[in-house]
DNA sequence: TCAGGCGTCACCCGAAAGTATGATTTTGCA
DNA sequence: TGCAAAATCATACTTTCGGGTGACGCCTGA
């Protein structure tokens, strides 16, 4: 980001300098002002395109990692443990497998899930996963 | 896309015309060439940025739609009906709801699902959805 | 200090999901 | 036309889920 802006600024300065230099020394008598302006326009359009690409690319790499995540989780009052269970459910694990992974009993997992269903306002685990993903709670 | 290019071209033409017009008539004696070039650079950088944004946005809307979809489905020998069931499962519907939606009995839905599990090499519906999405079979 | 949230666990029960097997009809293709 | 795959349904059985209820210890903030 900073680098992009820096490069853009430098290019701008250098180009302005060069163009003026050549304008004064050689071109002004041979080329019309239209052509001069055209080249400047062309070059800076290119620079704009390049800078735009850089900037949008960066925001596209930086933005995907959640945002609403935390906010929504807090709003829904979903606890740490519940979120862990939710993530494992989303991976397609059974209650038993989740329980083993978290070193708790199946009953505990089921309790967490019940609370999750209530908070997410769903009835089944598949719906919970669906909703959680759409809310960017997980993945 | 075409519209973007058209607008860009028109803006370019109009600006070049205007700038030259003003340059000759009024500015050339009051403003330095540096300032003139600066404004042109600024304006065309903006145009470049704008055009770039438009173009990248379009490619981002056009590219996502599946590719491996069909190929993978054929490879896994997943039938029409099975795919329908799979999609409904991914939406979090129960076997009963799916059956009602497809006007078949719950047993039929379960049969389709069994076949799906076998073809996808999974044991549960949540895993099936997980795998199907990662293979771009659905969504 | 006490209420309330969190995490843990248990038991019960009914519903949903999944397995296994077999049968019939439809359909596409050789 | 005939066969294989697909689609349909059924019956029976097992496993997993999910709901409801209650309980216990821990920690935190009022």
């Amino acid at each position: 980001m900073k680098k992009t802006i820096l490069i853009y600024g430098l290019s701008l300065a250098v180009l302005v300098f060069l163009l003026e230099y050549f304008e004064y020394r050689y071109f002004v008598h041979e080329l019309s002002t239209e052509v001069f302006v055209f080249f400047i326009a062309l070059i800076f359009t290119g620079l704009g395109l390049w800078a735009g690409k850089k900037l949008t690319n960066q925001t596209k790499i930086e933005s995907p990692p959640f945002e609403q995540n935390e906010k929504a989780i807090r709003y829904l009052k979903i606890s740490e443990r519940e979120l862990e269970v939710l993530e494992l459910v989303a991976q397609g694990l059974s209650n038993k497998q989740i329980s083993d992974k978290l070193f708790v009993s199946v009953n505990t997992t089921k309790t967490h899930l019940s609370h999750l269903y209530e908070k997410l306002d769903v009835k089944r685990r598949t719906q919970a996963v669906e909703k959680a993903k759409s809310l960017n709670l997980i993945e």
Side-chain angles (χ1 to χ4, degrees), chain A:
Chain A
M1 173 67 134
K2 283 182 181 173
K3 199 176 165 190
T4 300
I5 291 176
L6 186 67
I7 292 176
Y8 175 77
L10 283 176
S11 303
L12 192 147
V14 170
L15 277 167
V16 166
F17 176 76
L18 285 177
L19 285 169
E20 280 200 59
Y21 180 78
F22 284 118
E23 180 197 21
Y24 284 135
R25 297 284 176 276
Y26 309 99
F27 288 164
V28 80
H29 302 301
E30 298 167 29
L31 298 175
S32 69
T33 308
E34 283 92 339
V35 174
F36 178 61
V37 168
F38 172 77
F39 277 116
I40 292 181
L42 197 66
I43 289 165
F44 281 94
T45 295
L47 266 181
L49 279 168
W50 173 78
K53 185 154 174 279
K54 279 288 174 188
L55 294 176
T56 54
N57 273 356
Q58 284 217 279
T59 53
K60 247 133 209 166
I61 293 168
E62 285 168 11
S63 68
F66 323 102
E67 268 189 62
Q68 309 170 308
N69 198 319
E70 318 255 330
K71 211 176 281 181
I73 289 171
R74 268 181 238 128
Y75 177 70
L76 294 173
K77 295 190 169 73
I78 292 174
S79 74
E80 277 292 316
R81 210 54 164 163
E82 285 162 359
L83 195 60
E84 283 185 77
V85 172
L86 184 55
E87 277 160 359
L88 295 176
V89 167
Q91 286 167 30
L93 302 191
S94 70
N95 289 348
K96 180 73 177 60
Q97 292 173 310
I98 295 171
S99 307
D100 289 345
K101 204 158 237 179
L102 298 181
F103 300 108
V104 297
S105 85
V106 178
N107 302 299
T108 305
T109 300
K110 286 163 79 174
T111 303
H112 288 318
L113 272 176
S114 292
H115 294 157
L116 273 171
Y117 296 156
E118 206 177 327
K119 290 171 183 175
L120 290 175
D121 190 30
V122 297
K123 289 288 184 185
R124 265 170 292 288
R125 54 175 53 216
T126 39
Q127 291 182 325
V129 171
E130 176 77 1
K131 191 150 193 174
K133 286 189 177 177
S134 77
L135 293 176
N136 283 318
L137 301 184
I138 55 174
E139 184 139 328

